[in-house]
Amino acid sequence: MQEGLKIQTAELSTFLTACVGRINVLPAGEVPLGEAVGCAAGASGLVPAGELVSVATTMELTSRGFTSLRVHPRPRVFVVAVGDEIDAAERAKLLAALLELGGVRVTSLAGMSEESDDALEVLENQLDSIDFVVLSADVESELFIALSQLIDLSVVQLKSEPGGVCAFAELRSPGGRAIPLVVLPTEWRAMAVLSEVLVGPMVRRRGGDHQIYQPIVRARLTSAVTPKMRGSTRDRAFIPGRLHEKKGMWHVEPLATLHAPPIKGLSDSVFATSNCLAVIPAGTKELEKGDVVGVMRLDGRRTGG
């Protein structure tokens, strides 16, 4: 661990709330109706501010003679991974696929060797054309160390399973714009879950969406669950699952835990077909079939499941 780096332990919700509070919303502007779908409405009076614009909404406005709408643009997200050169390239593609699965628009990505002298330069050169940076890196990587020496990084060890060390900061573009940066662990399970529960809300906030958090429902487990331990403790756990409603009650089928990265791409993983995350409270040793748990619905995912 690099000297002088302060890493605090934090609940995921606490860290997320602090980060969201620091993110500036992209300014709204007038765009053609065809380009407004998926954007958060601005204060135009035609659509409630902060509400995502749907195809049906644009069709209705078109029928009423409107040709444009004031919206916040969808954030342009740059995904970068550092590490072994081949691993970093594959990890960048995987992280981009995870984010796009959750509705985030990834406009550029890069995988770089941690020995690369120009990693920081590559990042800086992107700042004029992006609105958000998602970096997958270990705290020991040269890029992470360089960033920690140049900007004020908030670094935390998340109390969750999967978790790991994450960080948040603001970069500055040559034009002076503040560009949010979030750093995720390199481990596949952490990237899969944190792309949904951490990065997704931040990007939605950046794009002016008022509904940045996924809805939580109570559901009965269709099978027993034993949360994984981290050391001698059991932190709050997020387990992918499939949620369905039966006779007025939600039921959740826990899926296999996430182990190695998918070999054949994201579609090779159970995470690609999950539509929820079962949230297992900290300290829980075991849950039986029929027990009721909180479940985070992953609404809007582009999944075939």
Side-chain angles (χ1 to χ4, degrees):
M1 194 70 66
Q2 55 176 299
E3 291 184 11
L5 182 65
K6 296 181 180 179
I7 301 180
Q8 299 180 328
T9 301
E11 297 285 352
L12 189 148
S13 57
T14 302
F15 179 60
L16 176 58
T17 300
C19 296
V20 166
R22 294 173 57 186
I23 293 174
N24 293 321
V25 175
L26 293 172
E30 203 79 14
V31 302
L33 282 177
E35 298 176 15
V37 176
C39 297
S44 63
L46 301 174
V47 182
E51 181 176 298
L52 291 185
V53 181
S54 65
V55 173
T57 298
T58 60
M59 291 177 64
E60 179 184 351
L61 291 175
T62 300
S63 69
R64 292 163 55 186
F66 292 97
T67 59
S68 64
L69 185 64
R70 187 172 179 79
V71 298
H72 300 278
R74 292 182 65 194
R76 299 163 298 175
V77 176
F78 176 42
V79 170
V80 57
V82 295
D84 173 83
E85 190 168 359
I86 296 177
D87 168 73
E90 291 303 312
R91 188 158 25 92
K93 293 177 184 177
L94 181 58
L95 180 53
L98 287 164
L99 291 168
E100 290 181 340
L101 182 67
V104 171
R105 179 177 64 158
V106 176
T107 55
S108 53
L109 60 90
M112 295 177 288
S113 167
E114 58 183 309
E115 285 83 25
S116 174
D117 294 331
D118 61 355
L120 190 58
E121 183 180 350
V122 170
L123 180 57
E124 291 173 339
N125 288 341
Q126 290 282 336
L127 294 181
D128 263 340
S129 59
I130 58 175
D131 304 304
F132 201 102
V133 180
V134 183
L135 168 65
S136 171
D138 289 323
V139 294
E140 300 288 351
S141 69
E142 292 185 14
L143 180 56
F144 190 98
I145 294 172
L147 286 171
S148 69
Q149 294 170 345
L150 291 172
I151 57 178
D152 182 20
L153 276 173
S154 298
V155 188
V156 299
Q157 169 70 54
L158 293 178
K159 293 176 63 178
S160 65
E161 170 51 43
V165 177
C166 297
F168 179 83
E170 285 187 334
L171 304 172
R172 289 285 170 180
S173 72
R177 292 190 308 129
I179 311 293
L181 161 75
V182 62
V183 183
L184 300 183
T186 59
E187 198 253 335
W188 143 247
R189 297 181 312 120
M191 288 198 309
V193 171
L194 296 178
S195 65
E196 286 283 0
V197 302
L198 188 66
V199 182
M202 292 184 187
V203 174
R204 288 191 285 273
R205 168 62 180 170
R206 181 76 164 141
D209 187 358
H210 282 185
Q211 300 296 324
I212 66 171
Y213 301 110
Q214 299 284 27
I216 301 288
V217 298
R218 303 289 289 175
R220 294 191 182 280
L221 290 167
T222 61
S223 62
V225 168
T226 302
K228 183 179 178 181
M229 294 184 68
R230 182 172 65 85
S232 59
T233 63
R234 283 187 172 87
D235 294 325
R236 173 189 289 188
F238 295 90
I239 298 176
R242 294 193 184 97
L243 184 69
H244 64 276
E245 192 175 9
K246 182 179 180 181
K247 296 181 179 179
M249 178 67 188
W250 288 107
H251 298 262
V252 58
E253 173 194 357
L255 299 178
T257 54
L258 306 169
H259 294 295
I263 298 174
K264 301 177 182 178
L266 189 57
S267 60
D268 189 42
S269 166
V270 295
F271 197 74
T273 58
S274 62
N275 63 1
C276 70
L277 289 169
V279 184
I280 312 301
T284 302
K285 293 183 177 181
E286 189 172 7
L287 290 168
E288 302 292 340
K289 175 181 178 180
D291 284 347
V292 178
V293 297
V295 174
M296 180 183 295
R297 286 167 36 186
L298 302 182
D299 292 355
R301 294 191 85 201
R302 295 205 295 252
T303 161

